[in-house]
Amino acid sequence: MNPYEMACRQLERSAELIDLKEDVVEYLKVPDRVLKVKIPVKMDNGRIKIFLGYRAQHCGVRGPYKGGVRYHPDVTMEEVIALAMWMTWKCALVNIPFGGGKGGVRVNPKELSKNELERLTRRFITAIMPIIGAERDIPAPDIYTDEQTMAWMMDTYSVNKGYTVPGIVTGKPVELGGSVGRSSATGRGVAIITRESAKAIGMNLKDASVAIQGFGNVGYWTAKILEEMGARIIAVSDSKGGVVDYDGIDVNSLKEYKVRHGSVVGFAEEISNEELLEMKVDILIPAAIGGVIHRDNVDKVKARMVVEAANGPITPEAEKKLDKRCELVVPDILANAGGVVVSYFEWVQDLERYFWDLERVNKELERIMVNAFREMMKVKNEFGYILWRDAAMIIALRRVVKALELRGIFP
Ligand code: NAD
């Protein structure tokens, strides 16, 4: 099943629970707009290499499209559309006035020099310029794109416009109109939701054992903030493999090690990514790529709770089984929404040209995440036996459908 089919399956299941009309479900399955672009890049050796890029805008009834851009060799149009759809639900769930968007370039960024990456980024943004804008569609970082990528995107868009437009992207460096607390926001949100989820199932977060797949932006900040909350991070991995220490990994030392060596591998006793997913831990957090828990390995997952920090790490088939094996499976659209929430704060600050301090950013993030978790619990209790994802989806769907009804179909 490709990610788009997976997203449609999730939509159909939740829509059925609230008796959504078939034509509305059809409306929501089809993205508003998808742009596929050619990205020719002059490589350092003088030769031209062609890359493909996509920007999908799923549903804009609640506001401008919002979503990251990922650089990955496996990017496909279906994946980008699915990710845009998940962004629609995520923004609605945490009740921020955005619709879902997503972008991707089919490239292995590790094979490009910094100059080549800059040229690729600038050409990609120029190619999708007709459909983006601070009031239209606002990109952000995702897998293998970062603050520097956002700075190049903002500069390229601004140079083409003839004036500086900080609100065109979020996740920028603070010096260019980025928000304090944005880089840690997704991980902080994951940690807040993990803490609330632990409370909900009567698990003491202090000394709870945690395994995290992925040690990039989301994995690192999740690990660091959970460690501060008293949890014991016992296993971490990245694309090259994982490490385990049952006494607890010192997250900052691991980060320093990864900066020096390019991977977590070698820091402690080694384990594979597959072994990490099957560890007997209190909390398992997939924070890397999609589809890592599937029908062939779901029966081996032994965690009490799984928190989807990555987008789509559990296939729908596996999720049903996992829901029976685990006490709580927290869906991505809630768990990793902290990033888009602080992106929203960044956009608001850019439009107002008035910047908040870290205390305000983290306080407002905490309020929104905790509220969304409580709403999800309420719907879950209201419906009896449904997946946690369905509870989250029902809240999101109700908001999107209400906006659609109020706006109506043009003409
Ligand atoms: P990142 O590029 O900073 O880090 C990705 C990490 O995953 C790296 O440690 C990488 O080594 C690891 N990885 C890649 N392929 C792997 C594999 N096959 N097996 C194990 N590990 C692998 O990306 P990120 O921003 O941390 O994003 C991680 C996930 O979180 C993605 O699914 C992304 O869509 C999602 N997400 C990110 C944000 C954000 O604000 N950055 C917001 C919401 C959701």
Side-chain angles (χ1 to χ4, degrees):
M1 195 190 300
N2 73 44
Y4 177 62
E5 288 164 348
M6 182 170 147
C8 287
R9 176 96 60 98
Q10 290 167 350
L11 166 63
E12 283 163 4
R13 204 182 49 217
S14 319
E16 211 179 301
L17 290 167
I18 51 171
D19 295 324
L20 214 56
K21 288 198 199 102
E22 219 173 280
D23 54 352
V24 176
V25 178
E26 278 314 304
Y27 177 99
L28 294 172
K29 274 186 192 169
V30 183
D32 290 351
R33 201 174 282 111
V34 186
L35 184 60
K36 176 180 177 182
V37 295
K38 175 170 87 176
I39 314 168
V41 177
K42 201 179 270 179
M43 306 301 280
D44 292 344
N45 64 10
R47 297 188 64 164
I48 299 164
K49 204 165 170 186
I50 306 295
F51 299 91
L52 287 180
Y54 306 93
R55 184 72 189 171
Q57 300 175 335
H58 172 251
C59 180
V61 287
R62 298 183 72 255
Y65 306 97
K66 186 85 193 80
V69 174
R70 66 172 52 172
Y71 289 173
H72 199 277
D74 299 336
V75 161
T76 61
M77 194 191 291
E78 287 74 21
E79 182 192 51
V80 173
I81 298 171
L83 289 161
M85 196 191 289
W86 286 322
M87 285 305 295
T88 301
W89 315 139
K90 198 179 295 184
C91 294
L93 173 63
V94 289
N95 211 3
I96 55 174
F98 286 138
K102 201 79 183 191
V105 178
R106 212 173 153 81
V107 57
N108 183 353
K110 290 178 185 167
E111 289 171 357
L112 268 62
S113 70
K114 193 173 174 186
N115 284 336
E116 289 166 343
L117 273 178
E118 179 176 350
R119 289 195 287 274
L120 173 105
T121 302
R122 290 185 183 279
R123 184 65 191 238
F124 174 60
I125 281 300
T126 306
I128 64 166
M129 256 195 79
I131 64 161
I132 60 169
E135 302 285 351
R136 301 175 77 176
D137 182 352
I138 307 127
D142 195 72
I143 297 179
Y144 295 136
T145 55
D146 57 15
E147 285 194 349
Q148 178 61 74
T149 325
M150 296 306 115
W152 291 328
M153 288 184 179
M154 189 272 245
D155 181 71
T156 306
Y157 186 85
S158 299
V159 167
N160 275 290
K161 281 277 167 191
Y163 56 94
T164 297
V165 189
I168 178 60
V169 290
T170 58
K172 302 177 290 294
V174 172
E175 295 81 354
L176 295 178
S179 178
V180 288
R182 171 59 185 91
S183 53
S184 57
T186 307
R188 183 171 298 279
V190 174
I192 291 168
I193 293 297
T194 305
R195 184 196 67 206
E196 294 301 305
S197 305
K199 240 190 267 170
I201 62 166
M203 179 196 288
N204 188 357
L205 195 58
K206 294 246 174 315
D207 215 35
S209 55
V210 183
I212 303 180
Q213 183 185 51
F215 198 59
N217 172 281
V218 180
Y220 163 68
W221 282 106
T222 300
K224 185 173 163 57
I225 297 164
L226 280 176
E227 184 184 53
E228 283 167 15
M229 289 176 176
R232 196 161 33 100
I233 314 300
I234 63 167
V236 173
S237 68
D238 58 28
S239 58
K240 300 205 174 88
V243 288
V244 58
D245 182 345
Y246 291 94
D247 294 329
I249 290 169
D250 181 75
V251 175
N252 272 343
S253 307
L254 180 60
K255 169 90 174 166
E256 278 166 30
Y257 182 90
K258 177 155 173 132
V259 170
R260 266 186 285 124
H261 297 87
S263 168
V264 297
V265 176
F267 180 81
E269 190 189 324
E270 288 179 24
I271 49 162
S272 68
N273 263 294
E274 293 71 33
E275 286 166 335
L276 180 141
L277 295 172
E278 297 163 12
M279 283 177 76
K280 194 168 185 323
V281 280
D282 293 315
I283 304 166
L284 172 65
I285 307 185
I289 51 164
V292 292
I293 300 178
H294 42 76
R295 68 168 172 214
D296 297 333
N297 66 358
V298 63
D299 291 332
K300 297 180 193 149
V301 175
K302 298 176 200 74
R304 279 182 69 186
M305 183 166 103
V306 181
V307 181
E308 289 190 319
N311 283 312
I314 307 171
T315 64
E317 202 180 352
E319 188 176 20
K320 279 196 195 143
K321 284 190 167 181
L322 202 59
D323 195 65
K324 294 200 177 79
R325 291 179 68 83
C326 297
E327 290 169 57
L328 214 166
V329 181
V330 190
D332 47 7
I333 56 169
L334 175 65
N336 67 29
V340 76
V341 169
V342 177
S343 273
Y344 168 56
F345 298 161
E346 178 175 337
W347 181 74
V348 168
Q349 294 169 73
D350 287 336
L351 296 188
E352 292 186 336
R353 303 290 202 273
Y354 183 81
F355 292 89
W356 308 357
D357 60 19
L358 184 60
E359 200 189 334
R360 179 169 173 193
V361 169
N362 286 344
K363 201 171 137 205
E364 300 233 8
L365 172 65
E366 165 91 24
R367 178 180 60 79
I368 289 180
M369 297 303 290
V370 172
N371 275 348
F373 182 81
R374 288 185 186 150
E375 282 182 310
M376 183 180 77
M377 290 276 286
K378 213 169 128 205
V379 172
K380 168 97 167 132
N381 292 334
E382 197 186 302
F383 276 78
Y385 181 72
I386 56 171
L387 298 178
W388 291 89
R389 177 181 316 282
D390 292 329
M393 280 289 293
I394 286 169
I395 299 166
L397 273 175
R398 282 177 174 160
R399 290 197 176 123
V400 173
V401 171
K402 184 73 196 169
L404 182 60
E405 277 169 12
L406 288 168
R407 287 182 61 159
I409 299 288
F410 176 81

